[in-house]
Amino acid sequence: MNETRRDRDAEGRARNARPRDGLGRPLPYGTPGVERQPEGVVRTPAETLREAQRLLDAGMPFHAHEVFEDAWKSGPEDERELWRGLAQLAVGLTHSARGNTAGGARLLRRGAGALAPFAGSGPHGIAVSGLSDWARELADRVESGPTVDAAAEAPLLRA
């Protein structure tokens, strides 16, 4: 029988321990990678936006996605779609930078759609309309062009 040993976290749950690059791609064991975002961190909306913007500006949208995912899972019910939409934008940028143009464009458009109900309110100073416009424009571009540079394409989360 061929048994494969799975990486486990401190609680014994299966968790891939391979290092990752800035776009979240797994690297070979023993290779230096980018420090991963801790999971399950509860932040204020301002802390979430500040950390996600830092990661986006550094060209690490995969890691920004994980920050938004924490907010999506821990935030109030009426804001979950907002944070989920922001996570989808970050993953869309990740896929676009990795060269997955179809998946990147699809996720960028899905994220823009998830943000649509928040366009009038702009909660937490989030530039919802600007982000939606950015996502749709980038989606159009990645479908017909080369792979994008994640840091160069990083959106501004707040107006």
Side-chain angles (χ1 to χ4, degrees):
M1 180 187 276
N2 182 10
E3 289 186 356
T4 303
R5 209 174 74 126
R6 296 181 75 184
D7 297 331
R8 303 264 175 204
D9 65 13
E11 286 81 37
R13 292 183 305 252
R15 179 178 161 97
N16 190 321
R18 286 174 60 184
R20 295 187 177 264
D21 70 5
L23 292 175
R25 293 176 289 217
L27 300 169
Y29 287 103
T31 304
V34 173
E35 187 172 337
R36 295 173 84 159
Q37 290 297 303
E39 292 182 24
V41 177
V42 177
R43 300 173 181 88
T44 67
E47 291 167 336
T48 295
L49 292 166
R50 195 169 29 257
E51 179 63 5
Q53 188 70 66
R54 182 187 73 75
L55 293 163
L56 289 167
D57 292 345
M60 300 190 323
F62 175 82
H63 302 280
H65 149 265
E66 291 180 333
V67 171
F68 288 135
E69 193 172 85
D70 284 340
W72 159 24
K73 291 178 178 179
S74 67
E77 185 68 35
D78 63 338
E79 290 185 359
R80 291 216 171 134
E81 281 301 302
L82 170 73
W83 299 112
R84 187 171 73 93
L86 291 169
Q88 288 172 330
L89 294 183
V91 171
L93 178 55
T94 299
H95 282 285
S96 298
R98 288 178 177 176
N100 176 2
T101 57
R106 186 171 41 254
L107 283 160
L108 287 163
R109 288 191 180 102
R110 190 179 300 156
L115 294 179
F118 299 94
S121 60
H124 311 294
I126 298 170
V128 173
S129 296
L131 285 168
S132 295
D133 292 344
W134 166 84
R136 285 190 212 77
E137 187 274 328
L138 184 59
D140 290 344
R141 228 175 346 112
V142 300
E143 282 180 325
S144 61
T147 301
V148 300
D149 178 296
E153 297 293 344
L156 289 176
L157 299 173
R158 290 183 159 167

